[in-house]
Amino acid sequence: RHHLRRLLEELGIERITECVDGKQAVGVLQESMFDLVITDYNMPEMDGRELTEYIRTQSWQAEVPVLMVTSEQNMGRLAAVERAGVSAICDKPFEASSIRRLISDALRR
């Protein structure tokens, strides 16, 4: 999270909210409006697929772009993430240019 936060700040993004896991993110999403959600696949309590499913099916922000960063290599799990409605997937470790492009693409939709 710290590396990604630093990268986002370098891109000029000023309002960043961090959560320790998907469960905390659900609570934050219920209270505040977001332009973009960036999540990891592997998190305790609620993983990135479950968070994405929540956003797409139960959140009042169902259309918010969701960018997932992951080191997951299991094609079945990655396919489930895509079915859940993630906007883009970025492999870890990631390059700053990849994140920049994915964020730009996600926010243009």
Side-chain angles (χ1 to χ4, degrees):
R1 283 195 334 249
H2 302 293
H3 174 66
L4 189 55
R5 180 183 190 91
R6 226 177 17 256
L7 177 62
L8 294 171
E9 289 170 344
E10 288 172 10
L11 293 173
I13 298 172
E14 298 173 359
R15 293 184 59 220
I16 300 169
T17 302
E18 291 184 52
C19 297
V20 296
D21 59 33
K23 191 173 183 179
Q24 183 185 16
V26 166
V28 171
L29 284 163
Q30 291 171 344
E31 298 173 9
S32 301
M33 184 74 176
F34 293 90
D35 295 319
L36 174 69
V37 172
I38 301 176
T39 183
D40 198 327
Y41 179 87
N42 294 303
M43 297 184 292
E45 298 293 324
M46 174 186 269
D47 68 23
R49 180 193 53 80
E50 293 168 319
L51 175 59
T52 302
E53 286 177 352
Y54 167 81
I55 291 169
R56 296 296 182 238
T57 63
Q58 298 176 47
S59 171
W60 58 278
Q61 299 182 70
E63 299 301 317
V64 68
V66 178
L67 171 61
M68 184 170 296
V69 293
T70 184
S71 57
E72 181 64 54
Q73 297 297 315
N74 181 302
M75 296 309 288
R77 289 182 180 176
L78 292 174
V81 165
E82 289 179 353
R83 284 192 305 275
V86 73
S87 306
I89 298 174
C90 183
D91 293 327
K92 289 194 279 186
F94 49 81
E95 298 290 325
S97 60
S98 298
I99 291 290
R100 268 190 215 102
R101 180 181 45 78
L102 290 171
I103 290 172
S104 177
D105 291 350
L107 293 175
R108 272 190 258 161
R109 291 182 182 176

